[in-house]
Amino acid sequence: MKIEVLEKNDINLHIVVRDADVPLMNALRRLALAEVPCMAIEEVVMIENSSILQDEIIAHRLGLTPLKTDLDAYNLPEACECKSEFGCAQCRVTLTLDAEAKDGTRTVYSGEIVSENPEIVPVSDKIPIIKLAKNQKLKLEAYARLGIGKTHAKWQPVSMCAYKYYPKITPPAEKCPDCSKCIDICPKKVLDIKDEKVEVRDLLACNLCMDCVDACPKKPAALAVEWEKNAFVMSIESTGALPPERVLKEATKLLAKQLNEFEEQIKAEPQ
Ligand SMILES: [Zn+2]
């Protein structure tokens, strides 16, 4: 298998994977979405809430605030040695929020949440939690724990994880002087014209919609759009909880673990 990195930063990862197949790519995609753990607020103890929003709505908004995650320092609650419903220092982080609108209406942002662990904080300081009118107060204690997207979407470390076949476009071999229908119809502007010849401007933007082939007045069409069966373009967009390459790494680890368990269970069956 060969992997080529097209783009990599704190949030996005675009890679080309060659010599792979659909079941593998799809398994990795599903694991990244549903089983790679990340931190999210699970319980909120409301100390004072004189705002107009109910406690439950505030708790829901806090739960959906993505938190930076340190996977190496914390255990999943069910895997933690404490076996306690309440949790311990290895499986729970306490965060507090104490906000008051003293001088008039104001918005409380995620940046005001104080965490006991400076590594586990909201990924952005600018997420609005609530608007408080003058003299309204919000004081609470929240507990964040690791979880997986299968249980609740708040524990999904990625906002997007998708793959597509690697496109293969063969432009018309000869000049097509009278028509630029294939170029005009493409929503992704994949094709371009140069010296009266159609050429591929941005191959990876192609989503294989085939509009260009259908638009060609020649039958059969003068250009061909195909895809490579064993090559894929994968895009991962992290919520900021984990770096996208870490999400992919964890997904591969989980796949290996699940396959091992499968193998063990086959062995355990009587002959
Ligand atoms: Zn614990």
Side-chain angles (χ1 to χ4, degrees):
M1 190 192 288
K2 279 188 209 105
I3 294 179
E4 184 197 331
V5 178
L6 301 173
E7 188 199 346
K8 189 170 103 170
N9 56 38
D10 294 346
I11 297 293
N12 290 298
L13 178 67
H14 292 291
I15 51 173
V16 176
V17 186
R18 293 180 194 280
D19 300 326
D21 54 13
V22 171
L24 174 73
M25 297 304 291
N26 204 36
L28 290 175
R29 181 187 70 86
R30 294 188 57 152
L31 286 165
L33 284 168
E35 292 192 50
V36 173
C38 70
M39 276 281 177
I41 289 173
E42 167 70 341
E43 269 173 278
V44 176
V45 177
M46 212 51 90
I47 298 160
E48 188 177 345
N49 174 18
S50 52
S51 76
I52 57 158
L53 284 188
Q54 293 94 331
D55 296 357
E56 290 83 354
I57 293 176
I58 299 167
H60 183 246
R61 290 189 64 81
L62 290 168
L64 290 174
T65 307
L67 300 178
K68 282 185 192 148
T69 298
D70 182 357
L71 276 186
D72 305 312
Y74 290 93
N75 299 325
L76 275 161
E78 57 271 26
C80 190
E81 281 174 4
C82 69
K83 302 275 171 229
S84 140
E85 203 184 310
F86 192 62
C88 67
Q90 266 79 55
C91 63
R92 187 202 63 208
V93 182
T94 307
L95 304 112
T96 50
L97 177 64
D98 187 358
E100 191 182 352
K102 282 182 186 141
D103 310 315
T105 307
R106 75 170 184 105
T107 306
V108 180
Y109 291 95
S110 53
E112 289 179 51
I113 297 173
V114 182
S115 171
E116 64 172 354
N117 179 350
E119 304 289 316
I120 313 292
V121 290
V123 300
S124 164
D125 287 347
K126 301 201 170 64
I127 304 168
I129 307 285
I130 192 170
K131 219 169 187 177
L132 295 178
K134 200 176 176 185
N135 295 328
Q136 288 182 349
K137 254 180 126 179
L138 180 65
K139 193 173 177 184
L140 56 88
E141 203 168 285
Y143 305 105
R145 309 189 80 172
L146 284 178
I148 57 173
K150 221 186 212 174
T151 318
H152 193 291
K154 67 183 175 181
W155 280 305
Q156 211 172 275
V158 291
S159 43
M160 188 266 290
C161 180
Y163 65 90
K164 65 178 181 185
Y165 281 112
Y166 195 90
K168 201 164 112 189
I169 303 175
T170 318
E174 315 216 322
K175 288 183 178 178
C176 285
D178 324 324
C179 148
S180 62
K181 284 186 177 154
C182 58
I183 297 162
D184 300 336
I185 200 161
C186 180
K188 300 276 184 182
K189 305 276 171 256
V190 172
L191 301 168
D192 203 358
I193 201 152
K194 207 176 178 186
D195 303 329
E196 291 180 21
K197 257 189 116 174
V198 177
E199 61 164 32
V200 180
R201 190 184 64 90
D202 185 0
L203 177 67
L204 292 181
C206 177
N207 59 4
L208 304 169
C209 70
M210 297 291 164
D211 278 359
C212 53
V213 176
D214 296 338
C216 185
K218 289 186 189 167
K219 296 290 172 244
L223 80 166
V225 175
E226 296 158 295
W227 51 89
E228 290 181 32
K229 280 209 176 91
N230 297 316
F232 302 88
V233 185
M234 191 176 212
S235 306
I236 300 180
E237 186 187 82
S238 164
T239 58
L242 289 167
E245 71 267 26
R246 179 75 197 262
V247 175
L248 200 55
K249 224 184 253 178
E250 291 299 319
T252 54
K253 267 197 230 166
L254 281 165
L255 183 64
K257 191 175 149 228
Q258 292 181 358
L259 289 172
N260 276 337
E261 277 171 22
F262 187 74
E263 196 186 19
E264 289 303 314
Q265 292 209 18
I266 292 175
K267 277 188 204 154
E269 283 295 310
Q271 298 290 315

